[in-house]
Amino acid sequence: MQETNGSKLPEILQRYQDRILQSWISAQSEAGVLRADLMREADLRRQSRNLLTVLMGATRNGVDFDIESPLWQDVRDLLTEVTAYRVDHGFTPSETATFIMTLKAPIFECLRDQFRDDPHTLVEEAWSASILLDKLGLYTNEVYIRGREDIIQRQQQEMLELSTPVVKLWDRIVALPLIGTLDSSRAQIVMENLLEAVVETGAEIVIIDITGVPTVDTLVAQHLLKTAAAAKLMGAQVVISGIRPQIAQTIVHLGVELPEVVTKADLQSAFAHALRRTGVAFTKG
């Protein structure tokens, strides 16, 4: 752990806090951190003031460069909050990191005025402040990346859920049209949505239409079989429609068996089968 307990930085932050705050806010405005379309000036001032406050608290007894230590918990929490705000409001990574980096100039100016006649101390303190702010800037960038990854994962999850809609076709008959690749994550969502629909609608027949699935390999076939087995345990029969000639050949070549699963060439045939199974009489017009 690097420590400079004899650093004058805590004293500078305390003595010049109002000056540093005002200069910092001005620097952020000039650097474009204050985006009127994304945040209010009052929010920028509040975030800046709060960070300066917790920064003074963390350095009260000296400068500890280990920003992962308990001394820096309040700073880390506030940086996480500030960064999350910027992620949610559409700030870029550079704009978010600049929030910290623009604090350098105001601190350097105060150090220069304080140690104008002591170049050695001025260089040491400026270097210490630079190391510390660089670490905080990197931490902010890491938080930003994690925040963006969380948003992307959440959006992917939402898209997966939207891409697996269960449609009620008739009393006790539901259909699940699949489009695109069926991987393990999506297969789990398919099963969950399907079982929920069976419970909610009291469905006896479930049609899984794979017309929009480009290829069926062993993994996809296994997912379909597991879904069919789960639906059967819930008291519903699964009908798989959209079995094109090339898919039928692929299934045969893979040696995949579909016991107790009704398969149909298209959704229309599957729906007709489901109507007959549920005792609905219909005539072709």
Side-chain angles (χ1 to χ4, degrees):
M1 178 189 302
Q2 283 181 290
E3 293 185 356
T4 58
N5 289 328
S7 173
K8 303 297 183 182
L9 183 58
E11 178 184 340
I12 294 298
L13 293 176
Q14 291 287 344
R15 179 177 300 178
Y16 296 100
Q17 57 178 300
D18 291 337
R19 173 182 168 182
I20 291 174
L21 179 60
Q22 294 305 319
S23 298
W24 185 21
I25 292 173
S26 297
Q28 292 181 73
S29 299
E30 294 172 2
V33 177
L34 176 56
R35 291 276 303 275
D37 57 325
L38 300 179
M39 73 183 306
R40 299 176 303 173
E41 183 177 356
D43 291 326
L44 179 65
R45 287 184 173 274
R46 175 182 54 79
Q47 292 176 355
S48 301
R49 184 184 305 106
N50 290 345
L51 181 59
L52 193 56
T53 298
V54 295
L55 185 59
M56 288 189 294
T59 59
R60 182 177 296 111
N61 298 319
V63 179
D64 178 3
F65 289 109
D66 182 11
I67 64 171
E68 295 296 335
S69 71
L71 289 173
W72 291 92
Q73 185 63 54
D74 289 343
V75 176
R76 293 197 302 272
D77 290 345
L78 187 58
L79 284 177
T80 300
E81 175 188 329
V82 168
T83 303
Y85 178 95
R86 282 160 168 70
V87 169
D88 292 340
H89 286 74
F91 281 81
T92 67
S94 296
E95 290 170 338
T96 303
T98 303
F99 172 68
I100 293 295
M101 296 310 172
T102 48
L103 182 54
K104 282 188 176 183
I107 291 178
F108 289 173
E109 290 172 1
C110 294
L111 288 171
R112 181 195 59 200
D113 292 348
Q114 182 70 21
F115 303 108
R116 188 184 304 275
D117 299 327
D118 188 354
H120 178 73
T121 300
L122 174 59
V123 171
E124 284 190 343
E125 295 299 334
W127 180 246
S128 295
S130 182
I131 292 176
L132 179 59
L133 293 175
D134 285 346
K135 284 179 175 288
L136 295 179
L138 288 173
Y139 178 82
T140 300
N141 193 53
E142 292 171 358
V143 174
Y144 183 95
I145 292 173
R146 290 199 300 269
R148 289 300 302 168
E149 289 175 346
D150 290 343
I151 289 177
I152 291 172
Q153 290 177 358
R154 186 169 65 249
Q155 290 174 339
Q156 289 176 337
Q157 182 72 14
E158 292 171 352
M159 290 178 65
L160 283 174
E161 292 175 355
L162 289 174
S163 67
T164 54
V166 180
V167 182
K168 184 175 181 180
L169 297 180
W170 203 267
D171 182 37
R172 295 174 292 164
I173 302 174
V174 297
L176 177 63
L178 297 178
I179 299 175
T181 304
L182 188 65
D183 56 16
S184 298
S185 298
R186 190 180 179 199
Q188 183 63 33
I189 294 176
V190 167
M191 186 181 298
E192 292 174 358
N193 289 355
L194 192 59
L195 296 182
E196 289 178 3
V198 169
V199 173
E200 292 175 1
T201 63
E204 297 179 3
I205 306 293
V206 174
I207 300 173
I208 300 179
D209 184 69
I210 62 172
T211 303
V213 177
T215 59
V216 173
D217 55 17
T218 304
L219 185 62
V220 171
Q222 290 176 348
H223 290 322
L224 292 175
L225 288 175
K226 289 179 180 178
T227 301
K232 184 178 180 181
L233 290 174
M234 300 294 294
Q237 181 191 46
V238 170
V239 179
I240 300 178
S241 65
I243 305 292
R244 304 186 299 278
Q246 57 269 36
I247 288 181
Q249 292 179 24
T250 300
I251 292 176
V252 171
H253 288 317
L254 291 174
V256 177
E257 298 182 359
L258 301 175
E260 302 182 13
V261 176
V262 178
T263 59
K264 297 294 180 179
D266 53 45
L267 181 58
Q268 180 180 355
S269 299
F271 185 40
H273 170 82
L275 290 173
R276 287 193 295 270
R277 285 299 302 267
T278 55
V280 177
F282 69 97
T283 58
K284 294 183 179 179

